[in-house]
Amino acid sequence: MNDLVMLIPELILSGMSLVLLLVARRIQRTRLAAAATVLAALAAALASIWILSQGRNIAFGGMLVLDGYSQFFKVLIAATLALAALLSVRSLEGIPHGEYHALLLLAATGMMLAVSANDLLSLYLSLELMTLCSYILVGIRVEIPTSNEAAIKYFLLGSFASALLIYGISLTYGVTGTTDFRAVASALSGHGPGTNVLLLVAIGSVAAGLAFKIAAVPLHSWAPDAYQGASTPVAAFLAAGSKSVGLAALGRVCLAAYGSEAQVLSVLLTGLAGLSIIVGSVIALSQTDMKRMLAYSSISHAGYALLGLIAGTSAGASATMTYAFFYVFMTLGAFGVVVALGDRGEKLEGYRGLAAQRPGTAVLMLVFLMSLTGIPPTAGFAAKFYVILSVVRAGHIALAVLAVACSVVSAFFYMRVAVLMYMNEADEPAPSRFPAPVFAALAVAALVTVIGGIAPGTLAAWAVSP
Amino acid sequence: MTGYPVLTTTAFLPIIGAALILLFGSDRVARWIALGTTLGTFAASMPLYAGFDKASNALQFVESADWIPSLNITYGMGVDGISLPFIFLAALLTILCVGASWAAVQTRQREFYAALLVAETAMIGLFAASNLFLFFIFWELMLVPVFLLIGVWGGPGRVYAAVKFLIFTLSGSVLMLVGIIVIYRACGTLDFKALTLARASLQPREQAWLFAAFLAAFAVKVPMFPVHTWLPNAHTEAPTAGSVILAGILLKMGAYGFLRVSLPILPYGVHLFLKPMLVISAVAIVWGAYVTLVQTDVKRLIAFSSVSHMGFVTLGIFTLNRNGVEGAILQMVNHGIISAALFLCVGMIYERTHTREISDYGGVARIAPVYSTLLALFCLAAAGTPGLNSFVGEFLIIGGAFRTQAWLGAMAVWGVALGTAYLVWLFYRVAMGESNPALVGLKLELNAREMATLAPLALLTVCLGLYPDYVLSYVHAPVAQLLAAGVAP
C-alpha cells in the first residue's frame, strides 16, 4: 500500500494546522478554531482505526510501523487532542486562537509519528516536533511572567533530555551499526546480555531521554513548574499526551529494540517507577496549588504506568497501555474541572464548599479523584489492578506493596480536595456556569472513567503490545 | 427459582435509585425516592428467603457472566446460609436509616440519600459476591459514601473522624488487593468455590503472608483490638444513619471476610495465627468493656461497646468449632440489630436535646415511657439477657470458647458481666431517677415514624431471642461444610 495512505491521520492533523495558520488572522472566535481541531482529531481517530483494519504495515523504508500498538496510541492521542481543544475555549483570552490550535495540532502530529516510530531517528525527530510545539504552548501567554519562566525552564531541561536521547541513539549506532529497532535487536542478540558497557550507557541515555517526556523521577523537575505556568488546557494536554507518548515510545524501545537486555531494563525501570511513585505521592502532600498537586500526581502515575514494563513481557506492556489509556481520561477530567472553575480552580482553597454551590461539578471531581486514587469502581482501579498484577507476576511483590502503600499516601491529598469540596463552607461566590464544550469534555472523561471501571475487559482486547 | 436475577436486582436497585436522586431529585423528593428504593430493594430480596434451600451448603441463586475474559474474571453472585442473613439485615437497616434521617437531615438531602443508597448497593453486593474480585469492588465501593456520610452530615469532629476512617480502611484494603493478586497468580482463579479446591497451590509460607495481608483489611473493619481507634471517632461523629450503617453492617464485613476468605482458602495461615487471634479477641472483649465503662458520651459508649461485642464474634470464629462459629454468625446478626437500634435510640433523643453527655440526662422514663421501654429492651438485649437475642449468640460463643481453652471462656464470661454493668448503668443514668430539669418540657416521647423505625428491630430482638433457629437453621449446613473442609491444615 502507498506509504502516504498510512500517514492519513498525521496528514489530517498537520493539514488542519496549516489551514488554521493560513486563516489565523481571520479567526476571531475561539470556538471556530476549537471545532476545527476537534473535527480533525475525530477524523484522525477514524483514519487510525481504518488503518488498523488493514493489518500490520511498515512504511517509509522501515522508518514507521503501523500496528495495533501504534494505532491504539494514535486513537488515544486524538482523544487527548480533542478534549484539550474543548477545554481551551474557556481560558484563551489574549492568545492568538489560530496559532494556538495549530500548535496543538502539530504537537499531536509529532505524538502520532512518535508512537509509530520504528527507528531511533524517526522516534527522535517526531518527539522533537512534539516537544518544540509544547515549549511554545507553555509560554504562549506572553504577558504572564510565570508562563515565560515555565517555558524557559521546560525548554532548557527539555533540550538537555533531547541531548541525552540523541547521545544514546548515537552510541547505539556505534555498537550496532544501525538505528532500526529490529536490526538493533538482531545485532544485540549476538552480544551476551549486560557485557557491553557502551550499550548499557546507550540504554541508560535513551531511557533517560524518554523518562523526561513522562516526567519520571529523577527527570521530573520540569513538570510542576511547567504545569503551573502553562494555561490549564496546555498543562492537561502535556500531562496526558506527553506522558502517554513517552510510555508508548519507552514500551516499544524496551520490547522491540533492547529486548535482549531485559535484565538491565528491568532494574532501570524498577528504579524509575519506584522513585516516581514515592516522590510523586509524598511531595504532592505539601502542595497548595491545584496544578502543582496534579503535576506531582502525574509524576507518581508515571511510576505506576512504568510498573507494567518492568516484567518485559507483552502482557506487562498491555497493562501499561491500559494504564495510559485510563490515566489520560481521568487526568484530563481533573484538569477539566480546574478549567471549569476558572481562577478559583487553581488554588486548593478554591475548592472549599464547592459541593454546596455546584453539586454536579463536585460529583464529577469526586469521580476523577477516586479514579486517580484507584478506588473501584472507577477506571483508575482497573488500571492499577492490571499493572500490579503484572508486577506480581514478575515476582516483585515488595514493589507491589510499595505501590499500594503509596496509593494510600495519595489518598490523603486526593481526598483532601474531597474534604474541601464537601466538608467545608464556601468563602467565595459560586463559580460562573461553564461553557458547553468544557462540559462535553468533562462528560466524555467521566463516562470513560466510570465505564472503564465497570467493564475494563473491553479495552484489554485493544491493548495489544508490539 | 424466580424469573429474574434476584441478587443482581437487589444489589443494584439502590444505586439506580441514587442515580435517579442525583439526576432528577430535588431535596424535597429525595427522601421519598430513597424510601421507595429501599422498600423496593427489600421487596426484591424476598424471593431469596422464600426459595432458599436450607439443607444445601452450596451457593444458591447463582448468577454468572463473563466480565474480564482475558483474566478469567467473572461477574459472579450467589448466597449461602452465611451471607443471606446479612443481605436481609442490610436491606432492612437501610430502610430504617431513611426513617431515622427523615427529619434529622435537613441539609443537602439529595447527596445524603444518594450516598446512603450507594452504600446499600455496596453492602448487599459484598455479601452476594461469589468471587474475590467482585468482593473487593464492593468492599471499596463502601468507602467513599460512608466517608461522605460521616464527613458532611456528622458532628463537630466529623472531618477528622471521616479522614481517619478513610485512611485506616484504605490502608487495610490495599494490602488485601495485593493478597488477591497473589492468590490470583498462584491459583489462576478468584472464584470462592474454585479457590477452596485450588488452595493447594498456595505454599504454607505464602499462606501465612496472605493471611496477614487479608487480616490487615478485615481487622480494621471488625475492628480488632489494636486497630480499632478509628471506630470511636467515626461512630460518634457520624449522623445516626451513618452510625447505623457502620455498626450494623460495616463491622460485619470484616468478620464475614474471615469466614469467606481466610478460613476456607488459607487454612494454614489460620492455623499459624490462631493463638494470636484468640488472644486479641479476648483482650478486645475485656479491655473494650472496661473502656466502655468509663465513657461519659452516650454515642461513644455504644461505639466502644462494639469493640467488645465484635471481640466475641472474632473469638467465636477462631474457636473453629461448630458452636463458636455458628454463635459468631448469630452474634453478628444480633449485634447488627441491637447496636443499630441503640444508635437509633440515641439519635432520636439527641435530635430533641442536642446533647450526648450522659450527665445531661436522667429520669427520661418519666417523660417518655415508650422510648424508655424500648431503650431498656435494647440495653438488656445487648447485655445478653436470656430471652433476648444476644444471649443465644454469646452463649454459643462462650461454649465454643470453653471447648478450645477454658481461660478464653472465662474472659468471655467476664466480658458479659462487664457488659451488663455498663449497659444497665447507662440505662439507669439516662432513664431512671429524678428528671433532669433541663429535660422537663421537652417533647421527648417518640412520634409514630420513630416508633415504626424501632419496631422491626424490637420485634427481631424478641423473636431471635426466643427462636434463634430463624438464623441458625440457615447457617448449619454451610458452617458444617466450612469446618469439614478442614480449617485445620
mmCIF file with all atom_site columns, all heavy atoms in Angstrom, chain B residues 462-475:
data_model
loop_
_atom_site.group_PDB
_atom_site.id
_atom_site.type_symbol
_atom_site.label_atom_id
_atom_site.label_alt_id
_atom_site.label_comp_id
_atom_site.label_asym_id
_atom_site.label_entity_id
_atom_site.label_seq_id
_atom_site.pdbx_PDB_ins_code
_atom_site.Cartn_x
_atom_site.Cartn_y
_atom_site.Cartn_z
_atom_site.occupancy
_atom_site.B_iso_or_equiv
_atom_site.pdbx_formal_charge
_atom_site.auth_seq_id
_atom_site.auth_comp_id
_atom_site.auth_asym_id
_atom_site.auth_atom_id
_atom_site.pdbx_PDB_model_num
ATOM 1   N N   . VAL B 1 462 ? -36.741 -9.749  70.089 1.00 0.00 ? 462 VAL B N   1
ATOM 2   C CA  . VAL B 1 462 ? -37.501 -10.722 70.879 1.00 0.00 ? 462 VAL B CA  1
ATOM 3   C C   . VAL B 1 462 ? -37.591 -12.057 70.144 1.00 0.00 ? 462 VAL B C   1
ATOM 4   O O   . VAL B 1 462 ? -37.333 -13.121 70.720 1.00 0.00 ? 462 VAL B O   1
ATOM 5   C CB  . VAL B 1 462 ? -38.908 -10.166 71.189 1.00 0.00 ? 462 VAL B CB  1
ATOM 6   C CG1 . VAL B 1 462 ? -39.724 -11.200 71.929 1.00 0.00 ? 462 VAL B CG1 1
ATOM 7   C CG2 . VAL B 1 462 ? -38.786 -8.880  71.992 1.00 0.00 ? 462 VAL B CG2 1
ATOM 8   N N   . CYS B 1 463 ? -37.920 -12.000 68.856 1.00 0.00 ? 463 CYS B N   1
ATOM 9   C CA  . CYS B 1 463 ? -38.128 -13.247 68.106 1.00 0.00 ? 463 CYS B CA  1
ATOM 10  C C   . CYS B 1 463 ? -36.857 -14.079 68.068 1.00 0.00 ? 463 CYS B C   1
ATOM 11  O O   . CYS B 1 463 ? -36.879 -15.289 68.297 1.00 0.00 ? 463 CYS B O   1
ATOM 12  C CB  . CYS B 1 463 ? -38.580 -12.951 66.688 1.00 0.00 ? 463 CYS B CB  1
ATOM 13  S SG  . CYS B 1 463 ? -40.234 -12.313 66.623 1.00 0.00 ? 463 CYS B SG  1
ATOM 14  N N   . LEU B 1 464 ? -35.723 -13.421 67.741 1.00 0.00 ? 464 LEU B N   1
ATOM 15  C CA  . LEU B 1 464 ? -34.486 -14.188 67.662 1.00 0.00 ? 464 LEU B CA  1
ATOM 16  C C   . LEU B 1 464 ? -34.056 -14.677 69.033 1.00 0.00 ? 464 LEU B C   1
ATOM 17  O O   . LEU B 1 464 ? -33.340 -15.677 69.142 1.00 0.00 ? 464 LEU B O   1
ATOM 18  C CB  . LEU B 1 464 ? -33.375 -13.343 67.043 1.00 0.00 ? 464 LEU B CB  1
ATOM 19  C CG  . LEU B 1 464 ? -33.483 -13.135 65.534 1.00 0.00 ? 464 LEU B CG  1
ATOM 20  C CD1 . LEU B 1 464 ? -32.325 -12.295 65.027 1.00 0.00 ? 464 LEU B CD1 1
ATOM 21  C CD2 . LEU B 1 464 ? -33.506 -14.467 64.807 1.00 0.00 ? 464 LEU B CD2 1
ATOM 22  N N   . GLY B 1 465 ? -34.477 -13.971 70.073 1.00 0.00 ? 465 GLY B N   1
ATOM 23  C CA  . GLY B 1 465 ? -34.150 -14.428 71.412 1.00 0.00 ? 465 GLY B CA  1
ATOM 24  C C   . GLY B 1 465 ? -34.914 -15.690 71.756 1.00 0.00 ? 465 GLY B C   1
ATOM 25  O O   . GLY B 1 465 ? -34.371 -16.616 72.365 1.00 0.00 ? 465 GLY B O   1
ATOM 26  N N   . LEU B 1 466 ? -36.179 -15.723 71.348 1.00 0.00 ? 466 LEU B N   1
ATOM 27  C CA  . LEU B 1 466 ? -36.999 -16.887 71.677 1.00 0.00 ? 466 LEU B CA  1
ATOM 28  C C   . LEU B 1 466 ? -36.753 -18.023 70.699 1.00 0.00 ? 466 LEU B C   1
ATOM 29  O O   . LEU B 1 466 ? -36.824 -19.189 71.070 1.00 0.00 ? 466 LEU B O   1
ATOM 30  C CB  . LEU B 1 466 ? -38.475 -16.490 71.655 1.00 0.00 ? 466 LEU B CB  1
ATOM 31  C CG  . LEU B 1 466 ? -38.861 -15.437 72.689 1.00 0.00 ? 466 LEU B CG  1
ATOM 32  C CD1 . LEU B 1 466 ? -40.322 -15.037 72.523 1.00 0.00 ? 466 LEU B CD1 1
ATOM 33  C CD2 . LEU B 1 466 ? -38.614 -15.962 74.106 1.00 0.00 ? 466 LEU B CD2 1
ATOM 34  N N   . TYR B 1 467 ? -36.479 -17.694 69.453 1.00 0.00 ? 467 TYR B N   1
ATOM 35  C CA  . TYR B 1 467 ? -36.350 -18.742 68.448 1.00 0.00 ? 467 TYR B CA  1
ATOM 36  C C   . TYR B 1 467 ? -35.171 -18.441 67.528 1.00 0.00 ? 467 TYR B C   1
ATOM 37  O O   . TYR B 1 467 ? -35.338 -18.007 66.393 1.00 0.00 ? 467 TYR B O   1
ATOM 38  C CB  . TYR B 1 467 ? -37.654 -18.857 67.644 1.00 0.00 ? 467 TYR B CB  1
ATOM 39  C CG  . TYR B 1 467 ? -37.725 -20.115 66.817 1.00 0.00 ? 467 TYR B CG  1
ATOM 40  C CD1 . TYR B 1 467 ? -37.856 -21.363 67.430 1.00 0.00 ? 467 TYR B CD1 1
ATOM 41  C CD2 . TYR B 1 467 ? -37.640 -20.059 65.427 1.00 0.00 ? 467 TYR B CD2 1
ATOM 42  C CE1 . TYR B 1 467 ? -37.904 -22.515 66.673 1.00 0.00 ? 467 TYR B CE1 1
ATOM 43  C CE2 . TYR B 1 467 ? -37.702 -21.220 64.668 1.00 0.00 ? 467 TYR B CE2 1
ATOM 44  C CZ  . TYR B 1 467 ? -37.832 -22.439 65.295 1.00 0.00 ? 467 TYR B CZ  1
ATOM 45  O OH  . TYR B 1 467 ? -37.869 -23.588 64.560 1.00 0.00 ? 467 TYR B OH  1
ATOM 46  N N   . PRO B 1 468 ? -33.939 -18.642 68.019 1.00 0.00 ? 468 PRO B N   1
ATOM 47  C CA  . PRO B 1 468 ? -32.751 -18.285 67.227 1.00 0.00 ? 468 PRO B CA  1
ATOM 48  C C   . PRO B 1 468 ? -32.621 -19.103 65.950 1.00 0.00 ? 468 PRO B C   1
ATOM 49  O O   . PRO B 1 468 ? -31.826 -18.770 65.092 1.00 0.00 ? 468 PRO B O   1
ATOM 50  C CB  . PRO B 1 468 ? -31.591 -18.584 68.192 1.00 0.00 ? 468 PRO B CB  1
ATOM 51  C CG  . PRO B 1 468 ? -32.143 -19.509 69.200 1.00 0.00 ? 468 PRO B CG  1
ATOM 52  C CD  . PRO B 1 468 ? -33.588 -19.175 69.341 1.00 0.00 ? 468 PRO B CD  1
ATOM 53  N N   . ASP B 1 469 ? -33.397 -20.159 65.844 1.00 0.00 ? 469 ASP B N   1
ATOM 54  C CA  . ASP B 1 469 ? -33.303 -21.006 64.663 1.00 0.00 ? 469 ASP B CA  1
ATOM 55  C C   . ASP B 1 469 ? -33.651 -20.249 63.381 1.00 0.00 ? 469 ASP B C   1
ATOM 56  O O   . ASP B 1 469 ? -33.299 -20.690 62.288 1.00 0.00 ? 469 ASP B O   1
ATOM 57  C CB  . ASP B 1 469 ? -34.208 -22.228 64.818 1.00 0.00 ? 469 ASP B CB  1
ATOM 58  C CG  . ASP B 1 469 ? -33.458 -23.501 64.497 1.00 0.00 ? 469 ASP B CG  1
ATOM 59  O OD1 . ASP B 1 469 ? -32.227 -23.503 64.717 1.00 0.00 ? 469 ASP B OD1 1
ATOM 60  O OD2 . ASP B 1 469 ? -34.069 -24.464 64.021 1.00 0.00 ? 469 ASP B OD2 1
ATOM 61  N N   . TYR B 1 470 ? -34.350 -19.106 63.515 1.00 0.00 ? 470 TYR B N   1
ATOM 62  C CA  . TYR B 1 470 ? -34.599 -18.301 62.320 1.00 0.00 ? 470 TYR B CA  1
ATOM 63  C C   . TYR B 1 470 ? -33.292 -18.029 61.589 1.00 0.00 ? 470 TYR B C   1
ATOM 64  O O   . TYR B 1 470 ? -33.242 -18.019 60.369 1.00 0.00 ? 470 TYR B O   1
ATOM 65  C CB  . TYR B 1 470 ? -35.242 -16.954 62.699 1.00 0.00 ? 470 TYR B CB  1
ATOM 66  C CG  . TYR B 1 470 ? -36.707 -17.048 63.022 1.00 0.00 ? 470 TYR B CG  1
ATOM 67  C CD1 . TYR B 1 470 ? -37.226 -16.463 64.170 1.00 0.00 ? 470 TYR B CD1 1
ATOM 68  C CD2 . TYR B 1 470 ? -37.575 -17.694 62.152 1.00 0.00 ? 470 TYR B CD2 1
ATOM 69  C CE1 . TYR B 1 470 ? -38.567 -16.538 64.474 1.00 0.00 ? 470 TYR B CE1 1
ATOM 70  C CE2 . TYR B 1 470 ? -38.925 -17.782 62.454 1.00 0.00 ? 470 TYR B CE2 1
ATOM 71  C CZ  . TYR B 1 470 ? -39.419 -17.203 63.613 1.00 0.00 ? 470 TYR B CZ  1
ATOM 72  O OH  . TYR B 1 470 ? -40.741 -17.280 63.902 1.00 0.00 ? 470 TYR B OH  1
ATOM 73  N N   . VAL B 1 471 ? -32.242 -17.790 62.348 1.00 0.00 ? 471 VAL B N   1
ATOM 74  C CA  . VAL B 1 471 ? -30.942 -17.568 61.713 1.00 0.00 ? 471 VAL B CA  1
ATOM 75  C C   . VAL B 1 471 ? -30.140 -18.863 61.668 1.00 0.00 ? 471 VAL B C   1
ATOM 76  O O   . VAL B 1 471 ? -29.582 -19.240 60.643 1.00 0.00 ? 471 VAL B O   1
ATOM 77  C CB  . VAL B 1 471 ? -30.145 -16.486 62.463 1.00 0.00 ? 471 VAL B CB  1
ATOM 78  C CG1 . VAL B 1 471 ? -28.728 -16.402 61.930 1.00 0.00 ? 471 VAL B CG1 1
ATOM 79  C CG2 . VAL B 1 471 ? -30.836 -15.145 62.335 1.00 0.00 ? 471 VAL B CG2 1
ATOM 80  N N   . LEU B 1 472 ? -30.129 -19.569 62.795 1.00 0.00 ? 472 LEU B N   1
ATOM 81  C CA  . LEU B 1 472 ? -29.235 -20.724 62.888 1.00 0.00 ? 472 LEU B CA  1
ATOM 82  C C   . LEU B 1 472 ? -29.555 -21.796 61.858 1.00 0.00 ? 472 LEU B C   1
ATOM 83  O O   . LEU B 1 472 ? -28.666 -22.466 61.357 1.00 0.00 ? 472 LEU B O   1
ATOM 84  C CB  . LEU B 1 472 ? -29.299 -21.313 64.311 1.00 0.00 ? 472 LEU B CB  1
ATOM 85  C CG  . LEU B 1 472 ? -28.591 -20.464 65.360 1.00 0.00 ? 472 LEU B CG  1
ATOM 86  C CD1 . LEU B 1 472 ? -28.766 -21.075 66.743 1.00 0.00 ? 472 LEU B CD1 1
ATOM 87  C CD2 . LEU B 1 472 ? -27.110 -20.339 65.032 1.00 0.00 ? 472 LEU B CD2 1
ATOM 88  N N   . SER B 1 473 ? -30.846 -21.962 61.526 1.00 0.00 ? 473 SER B N   1
ATOM 89  C CA  . SER B 1 473 ? -31.187 -23.004 60.566 1.00 0.00 ? 473 SER B CA  1
ATOM 90  C C   . SER B 1 473 ? -30.516 -22.742 59.219 1.00 0.00 ? 473 SER B C   1
ATOM 91  O O   . SER B 1 473 ? -30.235 -23.668 58.470 1.00 0.00 ? 473 SER B O   1
ATOM 92  C CB  . SER B 1 473 ? -32.702 -23.080 60.394 1.00 0.00 ? 473 SER B CB  1
ATOM 93  O OG  . SER B 1 473 ? -33.185 -21.844 59.907 1.00 0.00 ? 473 SER B OG  1
ATOM 94  N N   . TYR B 1 474 ? -30.251 -21.459 58.912 1.00 0.00 ? 474 TYR B N   1
ATOM 95  C CA  . TYR B 1 474 ? -29.584 -21.166 57.649 1.00 0.00 ? 474 TYR B CA  1
ATOM 96  C C   . TYR B 1 474 ? -28.109 -21.537 57.705 1.00 0.00 ? 474 TYR B C   1
ATOM 97  O O   . TYR B 1 474 ? -27.514 -21.921 56.713 1.00 0.00 ? 474 TYR B O   1
ATOM 98  C CB  . TYR B 1 474 ? -29.707 -19.674 57.317 1.00 0.00 ? 474 TYR B CB  1
ATOM 99  C CG  . TYR B 1 474 ? -31.062 -19.267 56.817 1.00 0.00 ? 474 TYR B CG  1
ATOM 100 C CD1 . TYR B 1 474 ? -31.993 -18.697 57.677 1.00 0.00 ? 474 TYR B CD1 1
ATOM 101 C CD2 . TYR B 1 474 ? -31.404 -19.438 55.484 1.00 0.00 ? 474 TYR B CD2 1
ATOM 102 C CE1 . TYR B 1 474 ? -33.239 -18.316 57.225 1.00 0.00 ? 474 TYR B CE1 1
ATOM 103 C CE2 . TYR B 1 474 ? -32.647 -19.059 55.012 1.00 0.00 ? 474 TYR B CE2 1
ATOM 104 C CZ  . TYR B 1 474 ? -33.568 -18.497 55.889 1.00 0.00 ? 474 TYR B CZ  1
ATOM 105 O OH  . TYR B 1 474 ? -34.792 -18.130 55.428 1.00 0.00 ? 474 TYR B OH  1
ATOM 106 N N   . VAL B 1 475 ? -27.498 -21.362 58.877 1.00 0.00 ? 475 VAL B N   1
ATOM 107 C CA  . VAL B 1 475 ? -26.044 -21.458 58.896 1.00 0.00 ? 475 VAL B CA  1
ATOM 108 C C   . VAL B 1 475 ? -25.524 -22.871 59.166 1.00 0.00 ? 475 VAL B C   1
ATOM 109 O O   . VAL B 1 475 ? -24.346 -23.122 58.946 1.00 0.00 ? 475 VAL B O   1
ATOM 110 C CB  . VAL B 1 475 ? -25.416 -20.488 59.925 1.00 0.00 ? 475 VAL B CB  1
ATOM 111 C CG1 . VAL B 1 475 ? -25.881 -19.077 59.662 1.00 0.00 ? 475 VAL B CG1 1
ATOM 112 C CG2 . VAL B 1 475 ? -25.726 -20.896 61.340 1.00 0.00 ? 475 VAL B CG2 1
#
